[in-house]
């Protein structure tokens, strides 16, 4: 208080000295000192009143989250040019001057899971202006901010709250998510507005990308274990390719898994050749029944046809395998109607690693931490995945929607325990074959290699000439 009093006295003395220097000892017959003291007191009162009013008006904004949101919105409007510029006459000098009319912030609702802002556009603003600059809201509020057009010049900005850095796996949550999505769905994790599951009948092919140690392996365990616990072998069959040889070993012996787990490029090629045969067989079945897809085929025939999912980890190891990529592209183009889906996982998406046609067929893209902005931009359309700092966090792109998701933690130990229970549940079950058995009485087409063709010709020539070569007798 003493300091403030001394400061006040000093300012008052400065005001007196200035007035005396400018006007002398008297002003209009009154001592200049008295006039200076009066003017100083008036100026101090006006300043105090102005500061008080300013604090009363601005103080709520210093503590109110709603006011902070409004302030950031106005900055976004200015930065992106989301306003209507009009003109009016200035009351001071009478000149015509421009001014800006921003969208009206009608309501800010802050909830535990998200912040919702209701906006009304000013008269004369084309809705395409704000829709075309929605990027600025993602720049200000984060990549998952969504601008929703509610019609009648009204918009809704939805800003998801921050997700927890870790969440435990819950089969109940996963089951509920699959039921809500409908059909055969792929459970990914938890977002700000609840569980996230993708209906594969609508978005049939999925790509998972992320560097080692950031949640991709956990995501594969969550996806597969959820399926195995929800669907029986009569409804779901899996073809697993594990080119890293460390991911899918725990699923060996599970009734849902067709054949052995492919761990070498040649084994993956053979596995995909079998899937192609299943695709072509179903084409014939559906054509004969006059069905356009699996649902209609089941409805027309009453026959239950299992879904087929091809899941390959480290698909980038198949680089250069032209035949393999052709099969994957064929499944990507035709598989949905016949209940055949792809789940492909790898660490990066450079053009040298993933063919453009194959990448374009991935309707759902799940990106965990990515190596750099370029890979994130190529795969996701945004650089956000390169900046992920939480393990298990990913961005899910389905169509044009981008959603931030936290994949639940499912430890290998817990996953193994679930798998052992699944094996016990379906022990001794007989599965219907995906392809019809070969009739030994009907000639079957057989594809031979060039070397086998040469040996067969040599053998046939020898038989025709009634001369069997020595090496053929030993076979």
């Amino acid at each position: 208080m003493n300091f403030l009093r001394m400061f006040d006295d000093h300012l008052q003395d400065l005001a007196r000295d200035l007035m005396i220097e400018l006007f002398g000892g008297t002003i209009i017959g009154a001592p200049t000192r008295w006039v200076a003291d009066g003017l100083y007191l008036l100026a101090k009162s006006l300043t105090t009143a102005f500061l008080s009013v300013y604090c009363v008006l601005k103080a709520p904004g210093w503590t109110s989250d709603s006011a902070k949101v409004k302030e950031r919105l106005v900055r976004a409007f200015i930065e992106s040019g989301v306003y209507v510029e009009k003109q009016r006459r200035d009351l001071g000098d009478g000149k015509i001057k421009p001014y800006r009319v921003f969208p009206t912030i009608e309501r800010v609702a802050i909830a535990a899971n998200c912040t919702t802002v209701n906006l009304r556009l000013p008269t004369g603003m084309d809705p395409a202006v704000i829709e075309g600059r929605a990027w600025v809201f993602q720049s200000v509020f984060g990549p998952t901010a969504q601008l929703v057009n509610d019609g009648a010049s009204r918009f809704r900005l939805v800003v998801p709250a921050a997700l927890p850095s870790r969440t435990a796996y819950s089969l109940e949550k996963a089951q509920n998510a699959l039921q809500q999505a409908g059909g055969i769905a792929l459970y990914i994790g938890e977002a700000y507005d609840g569980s996230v599951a993708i209906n594969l009948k609508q978005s049939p092919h999925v790509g998972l990308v992320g560097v080692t140690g950031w949640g991709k392996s956990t995501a594969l365990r969550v996806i597969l274990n959820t399926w195995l616990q929800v669907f029986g072998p009569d409804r779901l069959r899996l073809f697993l390719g594990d080119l890293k040889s460390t991911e899918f070993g725990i699923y060996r012996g599970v009734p849902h898994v067709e054949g052995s787990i492919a761990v070498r490029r040649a084994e993956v090629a053979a596995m995909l050749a079998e899937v192609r045969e299943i695709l072509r067989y179903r084409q014939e079945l559906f054509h004969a029944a006059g069905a356009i897809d699996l649902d209609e085929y089941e409805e027309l025939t009453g026959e239950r046809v299992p879904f087929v999912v091809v899941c390959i980890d480290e698909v980038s190891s198949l680089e250069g395998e032209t035949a393999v990529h052709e099969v994957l592209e064929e499944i990507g183009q035709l598989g949905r109607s016949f209940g055949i889906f792809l789940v492909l996982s790898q660490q990066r998406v450079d053009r040298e690693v993933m063919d453009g046609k194959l990448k374009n067929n991935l309707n759902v893209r799940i990106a965990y931490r990515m190596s750099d902005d370029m890979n994130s931009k190529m795969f996701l359309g945004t650089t956000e995945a390169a900046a992920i700092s939480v393990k298990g966090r990913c961005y899910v792109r389905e169509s044009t929607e981008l959603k931030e998701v936290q994949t639940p933690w499912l430890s290998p130990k817990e996953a193994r325990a679930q798998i052992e229970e699944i094996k016990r549940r379906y022990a001794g079950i007989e599965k219907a074959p995906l392809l019809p058995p070969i009739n030994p009485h009907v000639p079957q087409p057989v594809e031979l290699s060039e070397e086998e063709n040469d040996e067969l010709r040599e053998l046939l020539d020898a038989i025709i000439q009634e001369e069997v070569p020595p090496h053929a007798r030993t076979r």
Side-chain angles (χ1 to χ4, degrees):
M1 293 298 293
N2 289 334
F3 171 78
L4 291 176
R5 187 181 296 277
M6 291 173 59
F7 183 70
D8 182 53
D9 291 342
H10 179 66
L11 288 178
Q12 189 171 5
D13 289 340
L14 286 177
R16 289 172 183 168
D17 293 343
L18 181 61
M19 291 290 289
I20 291 172
E21 184 175 345
L22 290 174
F23 301 103
T26 61
I27 299 178
I28 317 175
T32 304
R33 178 177 176 179
W34 292 358
V35 175
D37 290 345
L39 292 175
Y40 176 76
L41 182 61
L42 177 62
K44 186 169 71 171
S45 300
L46 291 173
T47 302
T48 303
F50 173 78
L51 290 175
S52 299
V53 171
Y54 178 82
C55 290
V56 168
L57 294 176
K58 296 294 289 185
W62 298 334
T63 57
S64 167
D65 290 334
S66 297
K68 292 176 182 177
V69 170
K70 290 179 181 179
E71 184 180 353
R72 294 169 71 186
L73 264 176
V74 172
R75 288 207 309 269
F77 293 152
I78 295 172
E79 180 182 341
S80 60
V82 179
Y83 53 79
V84 174
E85 195 166 88
K86 298 186 177 182
Q87 293 185 334
R88 64 184 174 191
R89 189 177 299 279
D90 188 274
L91 296 177
D93 56 16
K95 294 181 179 179
I96 302 296
K97 295 182 179 180
Y99 71 99
R100 297 169 177 174
V101 181
F102 298 102
T104 302
I105 303 172
E106 295 185 322
R107 179 173 172 266
V108 177
I110 300 177
N113 60 348
C114 71
T115 297
T116 304
V117 183
N118 296 96
L119 304 173
R120 178 167 51 82
L121 301 187
T123 303
M125 176 177 282
D126 186 348
V129 172
I130 192 170
E131 288 179 325
R133 299 170 189 175
W135 57 267
V136 75
F137 302 110
Q138 296 173 352
S139 174
V140 173
F141 294 101
T144 55
Q146 299 177 30
L147 186 68
V148 182
N149 188 343
D150 290 331
S153 295
R154 280 179 162 77
F155 283 80
R156 182 163 30 96
L157 179 66
V158 181
V159 183
L163 296 175
S165 59
R166 186 161 177 166
T167 180
Y169 176 78
S170 166
L171 177 59
E172 182 180 358
K173 281 186 177 180
Q175 283 179 310
N176 291 337
L178 264 58
Q179 289 174 359
Q180 290 179 4
I184 177 170
L186 180 145
Y187 172 65
I188 301 171
E190 303 299 313
Y192 78 96
D193 55 353
S195 302
V196 177
I198 304 297
N199 187 338
L200 294 184
K201 289 183 179 180
Q202 298 174 359
S203 303
H205 308 303
V206 180
L208 290 89
V209 175
V211 297
T212 302
W214 284 86
K216 181 163 54 70
S217 296
T218 301
L220 291 172
R221 286 197 297 271
V222 167
I223 292 168
L224 293 177
N225 277 48
T226 299
W227 277 340
L228 295 175
Q229 293 176 93
V230 173
F231 300 107
D234 65 325
R235 200 56 181 154
L236 175 68
R237 303 293 177 83
L238 298 174
F239 287 84
L240 301 181
D242 185 6
L243 290 161
K244 195 168 58 176
S245 300
T246 59
E247 202 63 67
F248 296 149
I250 60 175
Y251 299 104
R252 189 175 291 110
V254 173
H256 304 67
V257 177
E258 289 292 308
S260 60
I261 296 170
V263 296
R264 294 179 176 84
R265 289 159 65 119
E267 294 173 353
V268 171
M271 178 186 77
L272 290 174
E274 182 178 354
V275 176
R276 174 185 261 174
E277 289 301 313
I278 295 170
L279 174 62
R280 291 176 177 174
Y281 174 61
R282 290 189 177 185
Q283 284 179 312
E284 295 174 3
L285 286 180
F286 289 19
H287 176 71
I292 61 171
D293 59 21
L294 185 142
D295 288 340
E296 189 175 32
Y297 178 81
E298 291 185 335
E299 183 180 347
L300 292 173
T301 64
E303 180 185 347
R304 194 170 177 83
V305 180
F307 297 108
V308 173
V309 177
V310 178
C311 185
I312 303 176
D313 185 40
E314 295 304 335
V315 71
S316 56
S317 299
L318 298 172
E319 180 185 357
E321 295 283 349
T322 306
V324 168
H325 279 264
E326 287 177 357
V327 177
L328 290 174
E329 288 171 15
E330 185 175 351
I331 296 171
Q333 293 168 358
L334 305 175
R336 185 186 70 84
S337 296
F338 303 99
I340 302 175
F341 312 113
L342 295 174
V343 177
L344 306 178
S345 166
Q346 60 188 47
Q347 294 187 33
R348 58 193 181 91
V349 289
D350 305 76
R351 289 185 177 88
E352 295 79 9
V353 172
M354 179 176 279
D355 181 79
K357 293 180 182 177
L358 178 58
K359 186 174 69 174
N360 291 336
N361 283 323
L362 298 177
N363 316 92
V364 180
R365 302 183 182 188
I366 305 172
Y368 291 84
R369 173 66 182 267
M370 298 192 72
S371 57
D372 52 47
D373 289 349
M374 183 188 71
N375 269 269
S376 178
K377 186 77 172 177
M378 285 177 60
F379 185 66
L380 207 59
T382 174
T383 61
E384 296 301 326
I388 289 176
S389 59
V390 178
K391 290 189 176 182
R393 184 67 49 81
C394 64
Y395 287 101
V396 179
R397 169 79 71 185
E398 183 184 11
S399 185
T400 58
E401 182 182 5
L402 182 69
K403 183 168 286 191
E404 186 180 17
V405 178
Q406 181 67 32
T407 298
W409 167 246
L410 178 62
S411 68
K413 182 178 180 181
E414 185 181 355
R416 286 192 185 94
Q418 293 173 357
I419 291 167
E420 291 304 316
E421 173 58 31
I422 291 164
K423 290 179 180 178
R424 287 191 293 269
R425 186 191 309 171
Y426 297 108
I429 190 172
E430 292 187 8
K431 301 185 297 182
L434 294 174
L435 289 169
I438 296 176
N439 187 341
H441 302 293
V442 178
Q444 302 292 323
V446 177
E447 293 185 11
L448 300 178
S449 67
E450 186 175 347
E451 181 181 356
E452 290 171 330
N453 273 323
D454 291 340
E455 289 185 359
L456 182 59
R457 288 194 192 95
E458 184 180 351
L459 182 60
L460 290 173
D461 290 341
I463 292 173
I464 292 172
Q465 299 172 9
E466 296 183 349
E467 179 185 352
V468 179
H471 71 271
R473 295 194 189 98
T474 62
R475 297 197 174 191

